[in-house]
Amino acid sequence: MSKKIIIAGPCAAESEEQIEIAVREAGKRGVDFMRVNLWKPRTRPGFEGLGEDGLPLLAKVAKAGINPGLEVIMPEHAAMAMKAVLPVLPDGGQLLLWIGARNQNHVVQREIARVCAADPRVVLMVKNQPWPNEAHWEGIVEHVLAGGISKDNLLNCHRGFAPTGDNPQGFRNVPDFAMMDRVKAKTGIPVIYDPSHMGGTVPNVFAIGKMAAGQGIDGVIVEVHHDPANAKTDKTQQVTWTEFDELLVTIFPGR
Ligand code: PEP
Ligand code: MN
């Protein structure tokens, strides 16, 4: 089995203490990237992340030998994260930046890619848009490629689509594996699976994880918090680090 890409960590960076704990736990597990999310678009206004105040946390994580990952909403965010991280990134390290599901301005997507393309240590991940539409999803990939990012530095993320039909289990978003396979075949970009934003609750994150076993996914992004009950965002879907270990076995039996 080829090596899977593992991205894990809290929904949002909240404090130095929380990130220190996450660095320790992520380090023990040798994750490829840790979520250190500073800018959080929210369904309704609320805690929208530490923003620029959190940039030193990115550097701290990188210096600890863990590759940081975060969402960027604007090209300026990408530039700020790169400025904070790249000078202190150990040899062989990488910075993961991603474009979230809500960020569907193609001009902004292309400009973010243009900023990322300036340094080969930056990996850009695009998440599918919230509504099911194959052409739109492929279009996101095409727009960021048009911005100059190399295919080798690009990841695609399936975070599910808003439910349009029966949804007896109450998933927040539902996967479409057939579409995912077609987009992967057409674009040639590896697919990262996001059970957290599909599940919405911990039992559903596990159910969504189970559905992915044996599917053509190349990695996962999972929200993990040391104290989910007191998380500032997405508290119902963040798993503990122990649950994360169980979830990985569910998704990748025999990994
Ligand atoms: C996230 O990954 O933090 C996130 C908000 O997910 P999405 O953009 O898929 O909703
Ligand atoms: Mn979240």
Side-chain angles (χ1 to χ4, degrees):
M1 190 185 294
S2 63
K3 193 183 170 302
K4 302 298 181 185
I5 300 166
I6 308 296
I7 308 165
C11 173
E14 299 168 1
S15 68
E16 191 150 356
E17 188 211 1
Q18 174 223 27
I19 292 301
E20 277 166 10
I21 297 170
V23 161
R24 217 163 42 235
E25 297 295 337
K28 278 190 223 163
R29 289 160 177 86
V31 305
D32 296 290
F33 297 95
M34 185 179 120
R35 290 179 59 110
V36 191
N37 222 4
L38 301 184
W39 289 283
K40 291 292 311 156
R42 301 293 302 278
T43 304
R44 295 198 172 93
F47 173 70
E48 293 186 359
L50 297 175
E52 285 181 49
D53 292 346
L55 289 168
L57 292 177
L58 297 180
K60 191 174 165 124
V61 170
K63 282 186 198 158
I66 310 258
N67 292 322
L70 68 154
E71 172 167 357
V72 290
I73 303 169
M74 306 294 288
E76 292 77 12
H77 296 159
M80 281 189 264
M82 287 165 67
K83 192 170 165 210
V85 170
L86 296 178
V88 298
L89 203 59
D91 281 353
Q94 291 180 310
L95 169 64
L96 172 71
L97 300 177
W98 71 81
I99 297 174
R102 291 165 177 80
N103 198 358
Q104 294 307 322
N105 180 321
H106 294 316
V107 177
V108 169
Q109 293 171 346
R110 225 167 33 226
E111 289 310 308
I112 289 173
R114 207 182 298 286
V115 173
C116 293
D119 194 298
R121 294 171 295 173
V122 179
V123 176
L124 178 63
M125 179 167 81
V126 292
K127 301 188 89 171
N128 68 255
Q129 76 285 352
W131 63 94
N133 183 292
E134 193 163 332
H136 186 104
W137 189 2
E138 285 171 43
I140 302 169
V141 173
E142 290 167 14
H143 279 293
V144 293
L145 287 170
I149 193 81
S150 150
K151 265 194 177 190
D152 296 337
N153 287 47
L154 189 55
L155 297 173
N156 199 355
C157 175
H158 190 27
R159 49 79 80 201
F161 296 114
T164 50
D166 283 349
N167 182 26
Q169 281 154 291
F171 294 137
R172 186 175 176 185
N173 291 288
V174 290
D176 183 335
F177 292 112
M179 192 192 297
M180 180 191 89
D181 288 345
R182 289 192 299 273
V183 171
K184 179 172 161 176
K186 282 188 272 190
T187 61
I189 309 292
V191 178
I192 306 297
Y193 188 69
D194 178 347
S196 301
H197 291 90
M198 292 194 225
T201 64
V202 171
N204 277 351
V205 170
F206 273 86
I208 289 281
K210 208 167 182 174
M211 288 162 72
Q215 299 286 344
I217 60 175
D218 303 290
V220 285
I221 178 166
V222 180
E223 290 190 342
V224 193
H225 195 289
H226 71 280
D227 182 12
N230 289 303
K232 287 190 175 172
T233 55
D234 280 348
K235 59 170 72 180
T236 59
Q237 72 190 28
Q238 299 207 60
V239 297
T240 63
W241 287 97
T242 310
E243 287 168 336
F244 170 68
D245 294 336
E246 293 165 27
L247 180 65
L248 272 193
V249 175
T250 306
I251 300 175
F252 299 122
R255 170 179 161 262

